Amino acid sequence: MAGTRKQHTAALKAQVALAALKGDRTVNELASQFGVHPTLIHTWKKQLLAGADLVFSNGSRTGTVDGEAAKAELFEQIGRLTMELEWLKQKVGPSA
């Protein structure tokens, strides 16, 4: 009996994890309120606590990820243009 997995949005995960961190309701109460399994709530709470330091970082980590992606894209473009240049040189022949 294979069913499709339910995919939860990041906003819902954050909302549930923050509600779990408040501690005013039990995990089972939150699970029934949001319609998720209690194990997911524990997992999302751990992920929130593990990644909370990134929220208050100065953005240097995000910048390096974007910089690496831009760098990889530029290297890809350089390789593509180099291949086109070599192909054109072969088609035109040696220049005098």
Side-chain angles (χ1 to χ4, degrees):
M1 190 166 168
T4 58
R5 288 184 148 212
K6 195 174 191 181
Q7 295 204 355
H8 304 286
T9 63
L12 176 74
K13 292 177 184 181
Q15 184 181 8
V16 173
L18 286 172
L21 280 174
K22 281 184 185 176
D24 56 351
R25 285 178 275 162
T26 66
V27 173
N28 287 331
E29 290 173 344
L30 293 172
S32 64
Q33 178 186 353
F34 290 104
V36 297
H37 197 273
T39 306
L40 286 175
I41 295 176
H42 289 296
T43 303
W44 295 340
K45 183 178 170 183
K46 286 179 187 176
Q47 288 176 352
L48 177 66
L49 291 173
D53 60 335
L54 296 177
V55 173
F56 298 107
S57 66
N58 61 1
S60 62
R61 183 176 206 141
T62 307
T64 57
V65 172
D66 293 340
E68 291 294 323
K71 196 178 199 182
E73 185 178 337
L74 289 174
F75 279 125
E76 182 180 331
Q77 187 176 8
I78 288 171
R80 197 171 32 248
L81 291 173
T82 304
M83 288 179 61
E84 285 181 21
L85 180 64
E86 292 300 319
W87 182 80
L88 286 171
K89 283 181 180 178
Q90 288 177 357
K91 289 293 179 183
V92 172
S95 57

